Amino acid sequence: MNLRRLRAIVRRVVAEVRRDRPSLALLFIAPIVVTGLLTFILREAETPDVTAVLVASADTPGPVVAAIEGALERGGIKTVQFDEATARVNVAHNPGWVAILLPPNLAGGTITLVTNGLNPSAEGAQIGAVQRVLVGAAVAAAGARAPTIAHETVYGTPSTDPMVPFAPAIVAFFLYFFVYLLTGISFLRERTGGTLERLMATPVTRSEVVTGYAIGFALFATIQVAVVLTWALGAIHVPALGPIPEFAIGLGIPVAGSPLIAFLVVVLLGLGAVSLGIFLSTFARTELQVIQFIPVVLVPQFLLSGVLFPVETLPAVVRPLVAVMPLGYAVDALRQVFIGGADLASGALQGDLFVLALVAVLFAWVASLTIRREVV
Amino acid sequence: MDAAIRAVALVKHFGVVAAVDGLTFDLAPGRIYGLLGPNGSGKTTLIRLLTGMTRPTSGQAEVLGVAMPNRPNLARIGYMTQADGIYPALTAGENVQFFAAAYGIEDMARVREALALVDLADREKTIAATLSGGQRRRLSLACALVHQPEVLFLDEPTVGVDPLLRVQFWAHFRKLADAGTTIVVSSHVMDEADRCDELLFMRAGKVIARGSGATLREQAGTKDLEAAFLHFAGVGAVAA
């Protein structure tokens, strides 16, 4: 090994990286942002806001109900009292509401907690908060041994399939990720290969370019989603054949709502991702730089959109960021469809769809501004 | 006859640098004009101003009587950029077809005609990435010609093109000009300049001389254009 030649190579590598300022910045900023955010989320995870709906049976002694209510309020849990039907309706529509159905006799009875079941990991934290207060209060009030606590959900059954809450989030995330990557790189090639300049020398309008890209990639996004959804939701049973035993193709994740509505959600998300790719390709000079945007742009969305960590337990400081993560609206919408069986009449789903459509349109406009030409 | 291309006190600044520094000229239809000058003399910026790809700092650029930038007018203009500007994953035919469609032409006969014009008829189904450098250059020209523009801007069309192909290119240009197309070719290669009807010598954003090759040589009293250029550029000592 010749040290001079070696030194020359080392020098060249260092010089190249030093000149590539975006890469250099990302080399340090990306890990700081990602590890910082992750640590923050895990360390500062907050007890979610819980509203307890106390439902007393006709035979539950009044003083016991009052004692439990007092204990919950002291524990920082807002408490209201409804009859069981009203309580269930409220729980179904309000994430963060837990109905507490009290038995006639606390001693040896079973307290049933009802949550809406859309976001099991967030509800786990909510139930934990209620349960801690409840057990102590019940023992003190009834002066008996601790009651049994059961959990049921309005949608789905609790803890049947651990994959259920993640499937919608993962479908949304991968779509977002790949559509961004494909568009970002192919649009970068348009910019660097001179074809965009040439295209801008034709009567083609900028909005035609962005819309054309969106439709073209939406086509592939649609196929991707169709394949992933079929794989995730389907379970095609292949009967036993000779020595080969019976088996199923697909993950067979149960879905409560219409796959077509889920489709609409991801298509809107994909359109936003196309525009994001076009927009960010402005700031990249090489394909490597398009990839380097991932930790800065996509990973925070992954962390803050409830894909793995429930939005409800995120530290209050980053909570406002959640509102501006397009992915979050898609994850929420898909959970409502998959687990809650929401249809287009659902107000919450309409809200998510509206935001996703708005993001798609807004980003398309911003993306078209990054295509430089003097005439629109 | 009215000018095909007109510049009126055209100025383009990049920061403090004047890339195009107050140009006024008329170019007549059906002629081949050569923009000649060293790198950085403002040739490409002038072409970008005339095609409306960039807006002048002051002054006006007009093509076919329409002030640029003007999007609809681009349908009457052809522009071959310095970079090939073709899609490597598409076939030669698909490339021409795409740009034809961008100009509003969906007729495959026109696509084949453009390919034949640059001698690539037999390459219609070849992926552009696998074409040779010269073939890609020709394909790029076909993409700029397919809509039969009235005005054609060619930014260094013969860079990296072998002598034989260069002769073919110029034969195409002449044929188009004879059919009425106004052609503006930029080049820093002086030996092809004589094929233009008229030359505009450019230096530091200004036109320092204009005329046919013969006229310019005569005025400068030099045998070749290179020496003539140096004469007009004020580097007189070399002119002898």
Side-chain angles (χ1 to χ4, degrees):
Chain A
M1 196 174 271
N2 180 311
L3 281 179
R4 282 173 189 218
R5 290 198 297 256
L6 185 64
R7 193 179 61 186
I9 291 169
V10 172
R11 266 192 190 162
R12 199 216 75 220
V13 168
V14 172
E16 266 185 346
V17 177
R18 272 184 52 195
R19 302 260 158 80
D20 187 357
R21 291 189 185 268
S23 289
L24 199 62
L26 286 169
L27 195 62
F28 304 108
I29 293 169
I32 289 173
V33 168
V34 172
T35 55
L37 202 54
L38 196 59
T39 312
F40 190 57
I41 288 171
L42 291 177
R43 200 177 279 162
E44 305 292 318
E46 291 194 357
T47 308
D49 295 335
V50 189
T51 302
V53 191
L54 213 49
V55 181
S57 91
D59 303 325
T60 318
V64 171
V65 177
I68 291 178
E69 185 175 7
L72 286 169
E73 294 281 4
R74 278 194 301 280
I77 296 168
K78 200 158 66 145
T79 310
V80 290
Q81 281 198 49
F82 287 133
D83 62 88
E84 185 171 346
T86 317
R88 283 185 183 271
V89 170
N90 270 291
V91 166
H93 290 98
N94 299 301
W97 283 45
V98 179
I100 303 167
L101 309 183
L102 296 176
N105 183 7
L106 278 186
T110 302
I111 298 177
T112 307
L113 301 179
V114 187
T115 57
N116 74 12
L118 289 183
N119 195 345
S121 43
E123 286 165 14
Q126 288 157 354
I127 286 175
V130 172
Q131 212 162 330
R132 276 193 295 279
V133 178
L134 206 53
V135 174
V139 172
R145 59 195 167 85
T148 320
I149 291 182
H151 177 208
E152 64 178 61
T153 54
V154 178
Y155 304 114
T157 42
S159 72
T160 35
D161 185 344
M163 191 54 198
V164 167
F166 294 115
I170 286 169
V171 167
F173 181 72
F174 276 99
L175 173 101
Y176 203 69
F177 179 79
F178 283 112
V179 170
Y180 159 73
L181 206 58
L182 274 175
T183 329
I185 288 181
S186 68
F187 214 81
L188 180 80
R189 287 188 184 150
E190 287 264 15
R191 289 183 199 274
T192 56
T195 49
L196 187 64
E197 162 105 347
R198 169 162 239 164
L199 201 51
M200 287 299 103
T202 74
V204 162
T205 67
R206 298 190 299 194
S207 55
E208 281 163 3
V209 175
V210 174
T211 314
Y213 258 77
I215 294 173
F217 282 107
L219 216 64
F220 287 101
T222 304
I223 297 169
Q224 188 202 26
V225 169
V227 170
V228 173
L229 281 182
T230 312
W231 162 249
L233 307 181
I236 303 157
H237 289 280
V238 182
L241 185 75
I244 308 162
E246 177 192 42
F247 65 98
I249 298 172
L251 303 177
I253 294 165
V255 60
S258 154
L260 282 179
I261 297 174
F263 216 76
L264 179 66
V265 174
V266 285
V267 165
L268 283 175
L269 179 71
L271 290 178
V274 168
S275 301
L276 181 72
I278 294 178
F279 174 68
L280 287 180
S281 75
T282 318
F283 306 103
R285 271 173 295 125
T286 62
E287 294 174 10
L288 179 66
Q289 288 175 354
V290 172
I291 292 168
Q292 282 168 337
F293 279 121
I294 290 171
V296 180
V297 178
L298 295 188
V299 174
Q301 293 222 49
F302 181 75
L303 295 177
L304 298 178
S305 294
V307 176
L308 284 184
F309 309 106
V311 171
E312 289 81 356
T313 62
L314 290 176
V317 188
V318 295
R319 216 73 74 78
L321 288 175
V322 174
V324 296
M325 302 284 161
L327 188 61
Y329 292 91
V331 169
D332 182 60
L334 286 179
R335 285 210 171 116
Q336 289 190 43
V337 175
F338 275 41
I339 308 170
D343 56 25
L344 290 177
S346 149
L349 184 59
Q350 282 171 6
D352 285 335
L353 288 174
F354 174 75
V355 172
L356 286 171
L358 191 72
V359 166
V361 171
L362 201 72
F363 269 61
W365 176 68
V366 173
S368 80
L369 292 184
T370 67
I371 301 171
R372 274 164 48 198
R373 180 163 72 183
E374 297 300 336
V375 279
V376 183
Chain B
M1 202 168 186
D2 278 350
I5 297 167
R6 169 169 288 161
V8 184
L10 197 58
V11 176
K12 179 70 182 181
H13 284 281
F14 292 113
V16 289
V17 184
V20 166
D21 195 4
L23 297 185
T24 299
F25 57 75
D26 278 5
L27 304 182
R31 286 167 71 83
I32 304 180
Y33 292 90
L35 293 179
L36 256 77
N39 292 320
S41 58
K43 304 186 297 283
T44 298
T45 305
L46 178 57
I47 288 181
R48 288 179 52 91
L49 284 166
L50 294 173
T51 52
M53 302 303 287
T54 184
R55 200 178 282 277
T57 307
S58 66
Q60 181 154 309
E62 273 176 36
V63 174
L64 300 164
V66 179
M68 301 302 286
N70 177 290
R71 197 176 52 79
N73 206 34
L74 290 171
R76 303 165 74 190
I77 299 172
Y79 177 28
M80 179 177 169
T81 49
Q82 260 182 53
D84 281 337
I86 51 176
Y87 296 94
L90 300 187
T91 65
E94 287 163 344
N95 265 290
V96 181
Q97 200 185 350
F98 173 72
F99 285 106
Y103 285 110
I105 296 157
E106 308 230 305
D107 184 359
M108 269 311 280
R110 292 276 286 279
V111 171
R112 298 212 172 87
E113 203 178 301
L115 281 172
L117 195 67
V118 295
D119 217 9
L120 284 174
D122 57 335
R123 296 289 166 156
E124 187 186 327
K125 303 237 183 304
T126 308
I127 300 289
T130 64
L131 293 172
S132 72
Q135 287 170 331
R136 282 205 290 273
R137 214 69 200 119
R138 279 186 277 163
L139 178 57
S140 176
L141 180 62
C143 294
L145 289 178
V146 66
H147 59 303
Q148 299 174 345
E150 293 158 68
V151 174
L152 185 57
F153 292 97
L154 306 163
D155 198 357
E156 310 246 358
T158 55
V159 165
V161 166
D162 63 75
L164 186 65
L165 183 58
R166 201 175 287 185
V167 171
Q168 288 175 5
F169 264 32
W170 281 100
H172 290 319
F173 300 161
R174 180 52 64 195
K175 212 159 47 177
L176 290 167
D178 288 346
T181 311
T182 311
I183 301 178
V184 177
V185 184
S186 82
S187 177
H188 59 255
V189 186
M190 301 284 172
D191 64 356
E192 19 177 75
D194 258 338
R195 300 174 186 273
C196 300
D197 295 316
E198 220 175 306
L199 300 172
L200 285 82
F201 279 175
M202 287 192 71
R203 186 158 190 261
K206 289 192 162 70
V207 173
I208 52 172
R210 177 178 173 175
S212 71
T215 315
L216 291 173
R217 274 192 297 264
E218 200 178 310
Q219 282 176 3
T222 56
K223 280 202 191 90
D224 60 82
L225 280 172
E226 200 147 338
F229 183 89
L230 295 173
H231 169 85
F232 289 110
V235 196
V238 199

